[in-house]
Amino acid sequence: MISQDDIDAMTPAEMVEEFATTAKQPANKEMSIDLVWEEALEWYDEVNFISHHHPVAELKEMADLIYVLYGRARVMGYDLQEAVARVHKNNMGRMKQPDGTVKFREDGKVMKNKDYPKVDLSDLV
């Protein structure tokens, strides 16, 4: 049996692998899509009712969504953890314009430097 300390040290990918192994759950592409969609809708329902917003419930749905996304990555053989790290590194580089400034659209979204190379995840699939 895995201890609480061992669980606390696990990556999300390792947690999902432990769950699937313990449940003897085979890799199922169709089910992984359905689970992501189901959790996305549950999260949306939580944030869509602003007058009844429950932050704890929203956080739980966000965690469920991340969990099933890691499950989908497991089923597909994707290295999601490395992909997220590369996307973050790329986002940090792409936000700076050639003159070193950060520019924003009217709605507040950061404008990407169109000359900065796009992230390459081709070796992770």
Side-chain angles (χ1 to χ4, degrees):
M1 191 71 171
I2 294 178
S3 73
Q4 186 62 47
D5 287 342
D6 291 336
I7 292 171
D8 290 343
M10 294 173 122
T11 66
E14 291 167 336
M15 292 176 201
V16 168
E17 183 62 38
E18 179 194 24
F19 181 90
T21 301
T22 302
K24 296 179 176 57
Q25 194 173 48
N28 183 318
K29 292 178 181 180
E30 292 78 21
M31 184 171 70
S32 70
I33 294 168
D34 291 343
L35 289 172
V36 170
W37 184 243
E38 178 182 320
E39 293 302 338
L41 290 174
E42 289 177 13
W43 170 80
Y44 182 79
D45 285 346
E46 282 301 326
V47 298
N48 199 31
F49 299 108
I50 303 299
S51 63
H52 297 86
H53 182 246
H54 299 285
V56 173
E58 179 186 0
L59 180 58
K60 188 265 187 200
E61 296 307 334
M62 290 170 71
D64 283 346
L65 186 53
I66 296 296
Y67 198 85
V68 295
L69 284 169
Y70 269 93
R72 173 67 180 172
R74 174 189 169 271
V75 166
M76 298 304 296
Y78 301 157
D79 186 345
L80 183 56
Q81 189 162 318
E82 177 62 23
V84 170
R86 288 186 195 178
V87 165
H88 171 68
K89 183 178 178 182
N90 189 261
N91 284 344
M92 294 302 294
R94 290 184 82 189
M95 87 161 88
K96 296 220 173 144
Q97 300 301 318
D99 64 1
T101 62
V102 177
K103 295 184 180 173
F104 301 90
R105 291 190 327 200
E106 212 173 275
D107 64 1
K109 183 176 177 180
V110 172
M111 293 176 64
K112 295 179 179 172
N113 176 348
K114 61 183 175 198
D115 297 325
Y116 196 86
K118 292 185 178 184
V119 65
D120 180 11
L121 305 177
S122 60
D123 62 317
L124 302 180
V125 297

